[in-house]
Amino acid sequence: SYFGDKSSCVENASTLNFTSSSSVRGLNSACIGKTPLSPSRSVCRSRTPLMGYSVTSSSAVSAHGVASVIVAVVEGRGLARGEVGMASIDLKNPEVILSQFADNTTYAKVITKLKILTPLEIIMSNTACDVGNTTKLFSLITEHFKNVTFTTVQRKYFNETKGLEYIEQLCASEFSTVFMEVQSKYYCLAAAAALLKYVEFIQNSVYAPKSLKVRFQGSEKTAMIDSSSAQNLELVINNRDSRNGHTLFGVLNYTKTPGGSRRLRSNILEPLVDAETINTRLDCVQELLQDEELFFGLQAVISKFLDTEQLLSVLVQIPKQDTVKAAESKITNLIYLKHTLELVEPLKAALRSCNTPLLKAYCSSLEDSRFGIILEKITTVINDDTRYTKGCLSMRTQKCYAVKPNINEFLDIARRTYTEIVDDIAGM
Protein backbone atom coordinates (compact mmCIF):
# COMPACT_ATOMS: atom_id res chain seq x y z
CA SER A 1 0.00 0.00 0.00
CA TYR A 2 1.57 3.27 -1.06
CA PHE A 3 1.33 5.88 1.68
CA GLY A 4 1.37 9.58 0.85
CA ASP A 5 0.13 11.03 -2.42
CA LYS A 6 2.11 10.98 -5.66
CA SER A 7 2.96 14.68 -5.57
CA SER A 8 4.51 14.51 -2.11
CA CYS A 9 6.69 11.59 -3.24
CA VAL A 10 8.01 13.59 -6.16
CA GLU A 11 8.56 16.74 -4.08
CA ASN A 12 10.41 14.80 -1.38
CA ALA A 13 12.68 13.07 -3.87
CA SER A 14 15.86 14.46 -2.41
CA THR A 15 17.92 11.30 -1.95
CA LEU A 16 17.71 9.20 -5.09
CA ASN A 17 18.73 9.95 -8.63
CA PHE A 18 16.63 7.78 -10.90
CA THR A 19 15.36 7.99 -14.46
CA SER A 20 13.15 5.61 -16.33
CA SER A 21 14.51 4.12 -19.50
CA SER A 22 11.12 2.88 -20.65
CA SER A 23 10.83 6.11 -22.62
CA VAL A 24 13.94 5.03 -24.58
CA ARG A 25 11.88 2.14 -26.00
CA GLY A 26 9.35 4.58 -27.44
CA LEU A 27 6.55 3.83 -25.00
CA ASN A 28 4.00 6.51 -24.12
CA SER A 29 5.60 8.14 -21.14
CA ALA A 30 4.50 10.90 -18.81
CA CYS A 31 6.97 13.05 -16.91
CA ILE A 32 6.22 13.25 -13.20
CA GLY A 33 8.91 15.67 -12.04
CA LYS A 34 12.61 16.55 -12.16
CA THR A 35 15.23 13.93 -11.42
CA PRO A 36 16.60 14.44 -7.91
CA LEU A 37 20.27 15.49 -7.82
CA SER A 38 20.22 15.95 -11.60
CA PRO A 39 18.28 19.08 -12.63
CA SER A 40 18.90 18.64 -16.34
CA ARG A 41 17.02 15.35 -16.76
CA SER A 42 13.45 14.49 -15.96
CA VAL A 43 11.86 11.42 -14.42
CA CYS A 44 9.86 9.80 -17.21
CA ARG A 45 8.17 6.45 -16.89
CA SER A 46 5.71 4.47 -18.97
CA ARG A 47 3.68 3.79 -15.84
CA THR A 48 4.44 5.04 -12.38
CA PRO A 49 4.88 2.44 -9.63
CA LEU A 50 2.71 4.69 -7.49
CA MET A 51 -0.30 3.01 -9.11
CA GLY A 52 0.07 0.58 -6.25
CA TYR A 53 -1.90 -2.30 -4.83
CA SER A 54 -3.70 -1.14 -1.72
CA VAL A 55 -4.73 -3.43 1.10
CA THR A 56 -7.39 -0.95 2.17
CA SER A 57 -10.02 -2.04 -0.33
CA SER A 58 -11.96 -5.25 0.14
CA SER A 59 -11.48 -6.13 -3.53
CA ALA A 60 -7.72 -6.18 -2.93
CA VAL A 61 -8.04 -9.54 -1.26
CA SER A 62 -9.07 -11.23 -4.50
CA ALA A 63 -6.90 -9.23 -6.92
CA HIS A 64 -3.68 -11.09 -6.16
CA GLY A 65 -2.67 -11.49 -9.81
CA VAL A 66 -1.41 -7.89 -10.09
CA ALA A 67 2.38 -7.57 -10.58
CA SER A 68 3.94 -6.19 -7.41
CA VAL A 69 7.60 -7.29 -7.43
CA ILE A 70 10.46 -4.80 -7.74
CA VAL A 71 13.85 -6.24 -8.74
CA ALA A 72 17.34 -4.69 -8.68
CA VAL A 73 19.93 -6.25 -11.01
CA VAL A 74 23.65 -5.49 -11.07
CA GLU A 75 26.52 -7.10 -13.00
CA GLY A 76 30.22 -7.17 -12.26
CA ARG A 77 32.58 -5.12 -14.42
CA GLY A 78 35.84 -6.03 -16.12
CA LEU A 79 36.99 -9.54 -15.19
CA ALA A 80 33.88 -10.02 -13.06
CA ARG A 81 31.52 -9.55 -16.04
CA GLY A 82 28.98 -12.36 -16.07
CA GLU A 83 28.72 -12.41 -12.26
CA VAL A 84 25.19 -11.16 -11.57
CA GLY A 85 23.60 -10.04 -8.29
CA MET A 86 19.83 -9.78 -7.88
CA ALA A 87 17.59 -8.58 -5.06
CA SER A 88 13.80 -8.58 -5.18
CA ILE A 89 10.96 -7.56 -2.88
CA ASP A 90 7.26 -8.17 -3.36
CA LEU A 91 5.24 -5.14 -2.24
CA LYS A 92 2.62 -7.66 -1.07
CA ASN A 93 5.06 -9.74 0.95
CA PRO A 94 7.67 -8.57 3.52
CA GLU A 95 10.40 -10.80 2.12
CA VAL A 96 13.65 -9.87 0.36
CA ILE A 97 15.08 -12.58 -1.90
CA LEU A 98 18.78 -12.31 -2.76
CA SER A 99 20.64 -14.31 -5.39
CA GLN A 100 24.06 -14.22 -7.00
CA PHE A 101 25.34 -16.47 -9.76
CA ALA A 102 27.70 -16.67 -12.72
CA ASP A 103 25.88 -16.54 -16.06
CA ASN A 104 27.00 -17.01 -19.65
CA THR A 105 26.74 -14.52 -22.52
CA THR A 106 23.09 -15.44 -23.24
CA TYR A 107 22.13 -14.51 -19.64
CA ALA A 108 19.60 -17.38 -19.65
CA LYS A 109 19.61 -17.64 -15.82
CA VAL A 110 18.86 -13.93 -15.34
CA ILE A 111 16.00 -13.98 -17.88
CA THR A 112 14.53 -17.17 -16.36
CA LYS A 113 14.67 -15.80 -12.80
CA LEU A 114 13.04 -12.55 -13.89
CA LYS A 115 10.29 -14.43 -15.77
CA ILE A 116 9.50 -16.35 -12.55
CA LEU A 117 9.36 -13.11 -10.54
CA THR A 118 7.18 -11.28 -13.15
CA PRO A 119 8.38 -7.84 -11.98
CA LEU A 120 6.42 -4.60 -11.93
CA GLU A 121 9.69 -2.67 -12.15
CA ILE A 122 13.38 -3.43 -12.77
CA ILE A 123 16.13 -1.23 -11.32
CA MET A 124 19.59 -1.12 -12.87
CA SER A 125 22.68 1.05 -12.54
CA ASN A 126 22.86 4.13 -14.77
CA THR A 127 26.29 2.98 -16.03
CA ALA A 128 24.66 -0.13 -17.55
CA CYS A 129 21.98 1.89 -19.35
CA ASP A 130 23.81 4.93 -20.75
CA VAL A 131 22.60 5.64 -24.27
CA GLY A 132 25.23 4.46 -26.78
CA ASN A 133 27.04 2.46 -24.10
CA THR A 134 24.41 -0.02 -22.88
CA THR A 135 25.52 -3.42 -21.63
CA LYS A 136 24.42 -6.67 -23.28
CA LEU A 137 22.56 -7.65 -20.10
CA PHE A 138 20.49 -4.43 -20.17
CA SER A 139 19.68 -4.88 -23.89
CA LEU A 140 18.54 -8.48 -23.36
CA ILE A 141 16.38 -7.65 -20.32
CA THR A 142 14.65 -4.72 -22.09
CA GLU A 143 14.05 -6.97 -25.11
CA HIS A 144 12.40 -9.73 -23.00
CA PHE A 145 10.43 -7.41 -20.67
CA LYS A 146 8.91 -4.81 -22.97
CA ASN A 147 5.96 -3.99 -20.68
CA VAL A 148 7.99 -3.57 -17.48
CA THR A 149 9.05 -0.17 -16.14
CA PHE A 150 12.84 0.29 -16.09
CA THR A 151 14.41 2.70 -13.65
CA THR A 152 18.07 3.64 -13.56
CA VAL A 153 19.71 4.53 -10.26
CA GLN A 154 23.15 6.07 -9.78
CA ARG A 155 25.86 3.42 -9.46
CA LYS A 156 26.89 4.74 -6.01
CA TYR A 157 23.60 3.40 -4.53
CA PHE A 158 24.68 -0.14 -5.46
CA ASN A 159 26.85 -0.27 -2.36
CA GLU A 160 27.55 -3.70 -0.79
CA THR A 161 28.52 -2.23 2.63
CA LYS A 162 25.23 -0.33 2.79
CA GLY A 163 23.42 -3.48 1.64
CA LEU A 164 24.80 -5.52 4.54
CA GLU A 165 23.88 -2.70 6.97
CA TYR A 166 20.31 -2.71 5.62
CA ILE A 167 20.02 -6.49 6.07
CA GLU A 168 21.40 -6.35 9.64
CA GLN A 169 18.95 -3.57 10.47
CA LEU A 170 15.82 -5.00 8.79
CA CYS A 171 16.18 -8.79 8.92
CA ALA A 172 13.96 -10.48 11.52
CA SER A 173 15.97 -12.42 14.13
CA GLU A 174 14.43 -15.76 13.02
CA PHE A 175 16.19 -15.43 9.64
CA SER A 176 19.51 -13.97 10.83
CA THR A 177 21.49 -17.02 9.56
CA VAL A 178 21.30 -15.37 6.11
CA PHE A 179 24.21 -13.06 7.18
CA MET A 180 26.64 -15.99 6.94
CA GLU A 181 25.41 -16.83 3.42
CA VAL A 182 25.60 -13.34 1.93
CA GLN A 183 28.55 -11.68 3.71
CA SER A 184 30.94 -12.34 0.80
CA LYS A 185 28.34 -12.06 -1.98
CA TYR A 186 29.03 -8.45 -2.89
CA TYR A 187 26.81 -8.14 -5.97
CA CYS A 188 23.57 -9.31 -4.33
CA LEU A 189 24.32 -7.02 -1.35
CA ALA A 190 24.84 -4.09 -3.74
CA ALA A 191 21.51 -4.87 -5.43
CA ALA A 192 19.79 -5.07 -2.01
CA ALA A 193 21.11 -1.61 -1.04
CA ALA A 194 19.74 0.07 -4.19
CA LEU A 195 16.44 -1.86 -3.99
CA LEU A 196 15.62 -1.06 -0.33
CA LYS A 197 16.58 2.60 -0.71
CA TYR A 198 14.39 2.91 -3.81
CA VAL A 199 11.38 1.08 -2.29
CA GLU A 200 11.45 3.31 0.79
CA PHE A 201 11.54 6.31 -1.56
CA ILE A 202 8.56 5.29 -3.73
CA GLN A 203 6.52 4.01 -0.76
CA ASN A 204 7.19 7.25 1.16
CA SER A 205 7.64 5.04 4.24
CA VAL A 206 10.41 3.08 5.96
CA TYR A 207 10.42 -0.58 7.00
CA ALA A 208 10.35 -1.17 10.74
CA PRO A 209 13.59 -2.61 12.23
CA LYS A 210 13.80 -6.45 12.33
CA SER A 211 10.62 -6.78 10.27
CA LEU A 212 11.65 -8.44 6.99
CA LYS A 213 12.32 -12.04 6.03
CA VAL A 214 15.60 -12.09 4.08
CA ARG A 215 16.74 -15.23 2.30
CA PHE A 216 19.45 -16.16 -0.13
CA GLN A 217 18.06 -18.29 -2.93
CA GLY A 218 20.62 -20.45 -4.66
CA SER A 219 19.71 -22.67 -7.63
CA GLU A 220 21.14 -25.87 -6.11
CA LYS A 221 17.90 -27.45 -4.88
CA THR A 222 15.61 -26.44 -7.74
CA ALA A 223 15.32 -27.36 -11.41
CA MET A 224 15.97 -24.42 -13.74
CA ILE A 225 13.28 -24.39 -16.45
CA ASP A 226 14.26 -21.79 -19.04
CA SER A 227 11.62 -19.28 -20.12
CA SER A 228 11.13 -20.66 -23.64
CA SER A 229 10.53 -24.20 -22.27
CA ALA A 230 8.05 -22.83 -19.73
CA GLN A 231 6.28 -21.00 -22.57
CA ASN A 232 6.19 -24.00 -24.93
CA LEU A 233 4.93 -26.30 -22.15
CA GLU A 234 2.25 -23.70 -21.25
CA LEU A 235 3.12 -24.02 -17.56
CA VAL A 236 1.50 -20.73 -16.49
CA ILE A 237 0.42 -18.91 -19.69
CA ASN A 238 -1.75 -20.24 -22.50
CA ASN A 239 -0.05 -19.55 -25.86
CA ARG A 240 -3.28 -18.96 -27.80
CA ASP A 241 -5.02 -16.76 -25.26
CA SER A 242 -3.15 -15.37 -22.22
CA ARG A 243 -6.46 -14.99 -20.33
CA ASN A 244 -7.33 -18.65 -20.81
CA GLY A 245 -6.84 -20.82 -17.71
CA HIS A 246 -5.94 -23.97 -19.70
CA THR A 247 -2.37 -24.26 -18.40
CA LEU A 248 -0.67 -26.56 -15.89
CA PHE A 249 -1.07 -23.84 -13.26
CA GLY A 250 -4.75 -23.38 -14.17
CA VAL A 251 -5.44 -27.12 -13.91
CA LEU A 252 -3.74 -27.45 -10.50
CA ASN A 253 -4.80 -24.17 -8.93
CA TYR A 254 -7.47 -25.04 -6.36
CA THR A 255 -5.67 -23.01 -3.70
CA LYS A 256 -7.77 -21.23 -1.08
CA THR A 257 -5.53 -18.21 -0.45
CA PRO A 258 -3.59 -15.72 -2.60
CA GLY A 259 -0.35 -16.81 -0.86
CA GLY A 260 -1.05 -20.44 -1.79
CA SER A 261 -1.61 -19.46 -5.40
CA ARG A 262 1.74 -17.60 -5.53
CA ARG A 263 3.55 -20.53 -3.89
CA LEU A 264 2.07 -23.00 -6.39
CA ARG A 265 3.12 -20.83 -9.33
CA SER A 266 6.72 -20.53 -8.12
CA ASN A 267 6.88 -24.29 -7.47
CA ILE A 268 5.71 -25.04 -11.04
CA LEU A 269 8.27 -22.68 -12.60
CA GLU A 270 11.11 -23.67 -10.24
CA PRO A 271 10.35 -27.23 -9.06
CA LEU A 272 12.28 -28.74 -6.15
CA VAL A 273 14.83 -31.48 -6.77
CA ASP A 274 15.58 -32.05 -3.07
CA ALA A 275 14.30 -35.59 -2.36
CA GLU A 276 14.02 -35.08 1.41
CA THR A 277 11.74 -32.03 1.10
CA ILE A 278 9.65 -33.71 -1.63
CA ASN A 279 9.12 -36.81 0.54
CA THR A 280 8.21 -34.67 3.57
CA ARG A 281 5.54 -32.95 1.46
CA LEU A 282 4.29 -36.27 0.07
CA ASP A 283 3.84 -37.58 3.63
CA CYS A 284 1.53 -34.59 4.29
CA VAL A 285 -0.43 -35.30 1.08
CA GLN A 286 -0.86 -38.94 2.14
CA GLU A 287 -2.15 -37.98 5.59
CA LEU A 288 -4.60 -35.44 4.14
CA LEU A 289 -5.92 -38.07 1.71
CA GLN A 290 -6.37 -40.66 4.48
CA ASP A 291 -7.92 -38.30 7.06
CA GLU A 292 -10.95 -36.57 5.51
CA GLU A 293 -11.84 -34.74 8.72
CA LEU A 294 -8.36 -33.18 8.87
CA PHE A 295 -8.47 -32.27 5.17
CA PHE A 296 -11.89 -30.56 5.18
CA GLY A 297 -11.30 -28.96 8.61
CA LEU A 298 -8.03 -27.47 7.43
CA GLN A 299 -9.55 -26.32 4.14
CA ALA A 300 -12.43 -24.57 5.96
CA VAL A 301 -10.06 -22.60 8.23
CA ILE A 302 -7.51 -21.71 5.53
CA SER A 303 -10.19 -20.35 3.18
CA LYS A 304 -11.06 -17.70 5.81
CA PHE A 305 -7.55 -16.19 5.74
CA LEU A 306 -6.97 -12.98 3.80
CA ASP A 307 -3.70 -12.26 1.98
CA THR A 308 -1.57 -12.62 5.12
CA GLU A 309 1.76 -11.86 3.42
CA GLN A 310 0.43 -8.63 1.95
CA LEU A 311 -1.08 -7.61 5.28
CA LEU A 312 2.29 -8.17 7.02
CA SER A 313 4.04 -6.16 4.32
CA VAL A 314 1.82 -3.13 5.00
CA LEU A 315 2.04 -3.47 8.79
CA VAL A 316 5.86 -3.32 8.86
CA GLN A 317 5.98 -0.06 6.87
CA ILE A 318 6.09 3.15 8.88
CA PRO A 319 4.71 6.13 6.89
CA LYS A 320 6.97 9.18 6.79
CA GLN A 321 3.91 11.46 7.06
CA ASP A 322 0.71 10.96 9.03
CA THR A 323 -2.19 11.62 6.68
CA VAL A 324 -5.93 10.88 6.88
CA LYS A 325 -5.40 8.16 4.26
CA ALA A 326 -2.60 6.56 6.31
CA ALA A 327 -4.76 6.65 9.47
CA GLU A 328 -7.69 5.01 7.67
CA SER A 329 -5.33 2.40 6.26
CA LYS A 330 -4.06 1.65 9.79
CA ILE A 331 -7.60 1.04 11.09
CA THR A 332 -8.40 -1.26 8.16
CA ASN A 333 -5.17 -3.20 8.62
CA LEU A 334 -5.82 -3.55 12.34
CA ILE A 335 -9.24 -5.07 11.62
CA TYR A 336 -7.59 -7.45 9.11
CA LEU A 337 -4.93 -8.35 11.67
CA LYS A 338 -7.54 -9.01 14.38
CA HIS A 339 -9.45 -11.23 11.91
CA THR A 340 -6.24 -13.16 11.10
CA LEU A 341 -5.16 -13.62 14.74
CA GLU A 342 -8.62 -14.90 15.69
CA LEU A 343 -8.08 -17.72 13.16
CA VAL A 344 -4.92 -18.98 14.95
CA GLU A 345 -6.88 -21.06 17.50
CA PRO A 346 -9.19 -22.71 14.90
CA LEU A 347 -6.14 -23.50 12.74
CA LYS A 348 -4.35 -25.00 15.73
CA ALA A 349 -7.44 -27.09 16.54
CA ALA A 350 -7.61 -28.36 12.93
CA LEU A 351 -3.93 -29.43 13.02
CA ARG A 352 -3.97 -30.91 16.53
CA SER A 353 -4.65 -34.50 15.38
CA CYS A 354 -2.01 -34.58 12.61
CA ASN A 355 0.92 -37.02 12.72
CA THR A 356 3.35 -36.07 9.93
CA PRO A 357 6.49 -34.08 10.96
CA LEU A 358 5.80 -31.06 8.71
CA LEU A 359 2.18 -30.57 9.84
CA LYS A 360 3.28 -31.11 13.46
CA ALA A 361 5.92 -28.39 13.01
CA TYR A 362 3.27 -25.99 11.67
CA CYS A 363 1.03 -26.82 14.62
CA SER A 364 3.80 -26.19 17.19
CA SER A 365 4.71 -22.87 15.51
CA LEU A 366 1.14 -21.70 16.25
CA GLU A 367 1.83 -22.15 19.99
CA ASP A 368 3.90 -18.92 19.91
CA SER A 369 2.67 -16.74 22.80
CA ARG A 370 3.09 -13.54 20.74
CA PHE A 371 -0.14 -14.23 18.80
CA GLY A 372 -2.16 -13.98 22.03
CA ILE A 373 -0.22 -10.93 23.28
CA ILE A 374 -0.84 -8.97 20.04
CA LEU A 375 -4.55 -9.92 19.99
CA GLU A 376 -4.89 -8.85 23.63
CA LYS A 377 -3.31 -5.47 22.85
CA ILE A 378 -5.71 -4.98 19.93
CA THR A 379 -8.79 -5.85 22.00
CA THR A 380 -7.92 -3.22 24.65
CA VAL A 381 -8.71 -0.56 22.03
CA ILE A 382 -10.81 -2.28 19.35
CA ASN A 383 -14.35 -3.57 20.00
CA ASP A 384 -14.64 -7.36 20.28
CA ASP A 385 -17.49 -7.47 17.75
CA THR A 386 -15.52 -5.55 15.08
CA ARG A 387 -15.21 -7.95 12.16
CA TYR A 388 -13.73 -8.06 8.68
CA THR A 389 -16.69 -8.04 6.28
CA LYS A 390 -16.93 -8.00 2.51
CA GLY A 391 -18.17 -4.82 0.88
CA CYS A 392 -16.94 -1.23 1.20
CA LEU A 393 -20.03 0.12 2.97
CA SER A 394 -20.10 -2.49 5.75
CA MET A 395 -16.31 -2.14 6.23
CA ARG A 396 -16.74 1.65 6.52
CA THR A 397 -19.24 1.11 9.35
CA GLN A 398 -16.87 -1.37 11.01
CA LYS A 399 -14.04 1.19 10.82
CA CYS A 400 -16.21 4.00 12.17
CA TYR A 401 -17.17 2.06 15.32
CA ALA A 402 -13.96 -0.01 15.64
CA VAL A 403 -12.42 1.93 18.55
CA LYS A 404 -14.07 1.33 21.94
CA PRO A 405 -15.99 4.21 23.61
CA ASN A 406 -14.36 6.28 26.42
CA ILE A 407 -10.88 6.00 24.90
CA ASN A 408 -10.99 9.38 23.18
CA GLU A 409 -13.77 11.86 24.06
CA PHE A 410 -13.43 13.79 20.77
CA LEU A 411 -13.95 10.56 18.85
CA ASP A 412 -17.03 9.76 20.96
CA ILE A 413 -18.55 13.22 20.26
CA ALA A 414 -17.80 12.94 16.53
CA ARG A 415 -19.38 9.49 16.37
CA ARG A 416 -22.48 10.64 18.27
CA THR A 417 -22.89 13.53 15.82
CA TYR A 418 -22.38 11.15 12.88
CA THR A 419 -25.02 8.74 14.25
CA GLU A 420 -27.52 11.57 14.77
CA ILE A 421 -27.00 12.85 11.19
CA VAL A 422 -27.44 9.33 9.78
CA ASP A 423 -30.65 8.90 11.86
CA ASP A 424 -31.95 12.28 10.59
CA ILE A 425 -31.28 11.23 6.98
CA ALA A 426 -33.03 7.88 7.59
CA GLY A 427 -36.00 9.76 9.15
CA MET A 428 -36.30 12.13 6.19
Side-chain angles (χ1 to χ4, degrees):
S1 176
Y2 291 96
F3 293 113
D5 57 62
K6 298 178 194 178
S7 58
S8 67
C9 273
V10 176
E11 285 159 15
N12 295 335
S14 56
T15 51
L16 274 177
N17 179 7
F18 70 92
T19 57
S20 168
S21 58
S22 52
S23 54
V24 175
R25 298 196 307 274
L27 296 173
N28 297 328
S29 56
C31 293
I32 58 165
K34 291 287 180 192
T35 308
L37 311 182
S38 175
S40 61
R41 298 164 75 185
S42 59
V43 183
C44 295
R45 53 182 67 249
S46 60
R47 89 182 118 78
T48 166
L50 294 162
M51 300 301 289
Y53 178 100
S54 169
V55 80
T56 52
S57 73
S58 55
S59 61
V61 179
S62 60
H64 59 270
V66 183
S68 56
V69 176
I70 297 182
V71 188
V73 182
V74 67
E75 184 185 15
R77 293 185 283 192
L79 293 172
R81 191 167 291 285
E83 187 72 19
V84 179
M86 283 173 69
S88 68
I89 189 164
D90 189 334
L91 300 176
K92 293 187 246 173
N93 187 359
E95 178 180 29
V96 176
I97 299 171
L98 307 173
S99 50
Q100 184 173 318
F101 46 85
D103 210 348
N104 56 25
T105 50
T106 62
Y107 294 102
K109 281 186 188 175
V110 179
I111 302 300
T112 302
K113 279 193 173 290
L114 287 172
K115 291 267 185 187
I116 291 166
L117 290 166
T118 56
L120 168 77
E121 185 162 8
I122 296 171
I123 301 166
M124 292 186 80
S125 156
N126 61 340
T127 54
C129 318
D130 284 341
V131 179
N133 194 27
T134 57
T135 62
K136 188 177 180 184
L137 175 61
F138 175 75
S139 304
L140 275 170
I141 292 176
T142 47
E143 189 183 314
H144 279 88
F145 298 90
K146 288 187 169 69
N147 298 321
V148 176
T149 302
F150 276 79
T151 302
T152 68
V153 174
Q154 279 189 349
R155 179 81 192 195
K156 67 178 181 182
Y157 290 106
F158 286 86
N159 181 322
E160 66 272 10
T161 312
K162 193 74 184 162
L164 194 60
E165 278 175 26
Y166 259 125
I167 289 167
E168 284 176 337
Q169 180 192 341
L170 298 174
C171 182
S173 52
E174 289 89 341
F175 309 105
S176 56
T177 51
V178 77
F179 298 145
M180 304 304 291
E181 288 183 272
V182 299
Q183 263 177 335
S184 58
K185 298 200 165 43
Y186 304 118
Y187 296 110
C188 75
L189 288 174
L195 175 76
L196 290 165
K197 184 77 176 169
Y198 179 72
V199 168
E200 286 184 354
F201 162 75
I202 60 161
Q203 294 279 59
N204 204 27
S205 62
V206 294
Y207 283 107
K210 308 292 179 193
S211 66
L212 296 179
K213 178 179 180 180
V214 181
R215 66 187 173 97
F216 182 79
Q217 192 181 61
S219 304
E220 304 80 45
K221 292 188 176 181
T222 56
M224 178 71 82
I225 301 175
D226 65 273
S227 54
S228 57
S229 298
Q231 190 177 344
N232 293 334
L233 292 166
E234 295 187 305
L235 295 184
V236 292
I237 296 172
N238 185 296
N239 288 336
R240 288 188 180 183
D241 179 5
S242 59
R243 291 167 298 181
N244 192 317
H246 294 165
T247 60
L248 178 61
F249 175 63
V251 170
L252 295 177
N253 189 16
Y254 286 91
T255 54
K256 295 292 178 187
T257 63
S261 179
R262 288 195 290 268
R263 173 58 62 91
L264 175 65
R265 184 184 178 280
S266 66
N267 274 293
I268 288 171
L269 290 169
E270 224 174 354
L272 278 172
V273 293
D274 178 41
E276 192 183 342
T277 311
I278 292 169
N279 285 323
T280 308
R281 288 179 175 184
L282 288 173
D283 290 343
C284 292
V285 173
Q286 192 170 353
E287 184 174 11
L288 290 167
L289 288 172
Q290 288 169 351
D291 189 342
E292 280 192 15
E293 194 180 336
L294 171 65
F295 176 79
F296 288 112
L298 201 53
Q299 194 180 56
V301 178
I302 284 174
S303 60
K304 291 176 185 171
F305 277 87
L306 305 173
D307 195 336
T308 314
E309 291 168 343
Q310 185 191 344
L311 174 62
L312 284 173
S313 185
V314 181
L315 290 172
V316 298
Q317 290 173 43
I318 303 163
K320 289 178 182 174
Q321 301 159 300
D322 273 327
T323 61
V324 173
K325 194 177 175 185
E328 189 179 354
S329 181
K330 280 180 186 176
I331 298 167
T332 311
N333 296 331
L334 208 56
I335 295 170
Y336 285 4
L337 181 61
K338 180 176 177 285
H339 171 85
T340 305
L341 290 171
E342 283 170 346
L343 290 170
V344 170
E345 282 303 320
L347 185 58
K348 211 192 301 182
L351 288 168
R352 200 156 276 144
S353 60
C354 62
N355 297 310
T356 47
L358 186 58
L359 292 176
K360 272 186 169 177
Y362 287 141
C363 190
S364 63
S365 71
L366 295 171
E367 299 287 350
D368 196 317
S369 60
R370 288 175 291 184
F371 291 126
I373 293 166
I374 297 167
L375 187 57
E376 203 176 304
K377 279 191 171 183
I378 290 171
T379 51
T380 56
V381 178
I382 303 294
N383 277 310
D384 294 340
D385 58 352
T386 302
R387 293 272 177 275
Y388 158 73
T389 52
K390 287 185 177 177
C392 288
L393 196 61
S394 50
M395 265 307 280
R396 187 165 288 283
T397 309
Q398 292 289 329
K399 285 188 274 188
C400 183
Y401 297 101
V403 178
K404 287 181 174 179
N406 305 321
I407 285 179
N408 183 303
E409 58 188 48
F410 291 114
L411 178 64
D412 293 343
I413 293 164
R415 276 200 299 220
R416 206 174 302 123
T417 310
Y418 171 74
T419 309
E420 286 166 6
I421 292 168
V422 170
D423 288 345
D424 288 346
I425 293 168
M428 286 174 184

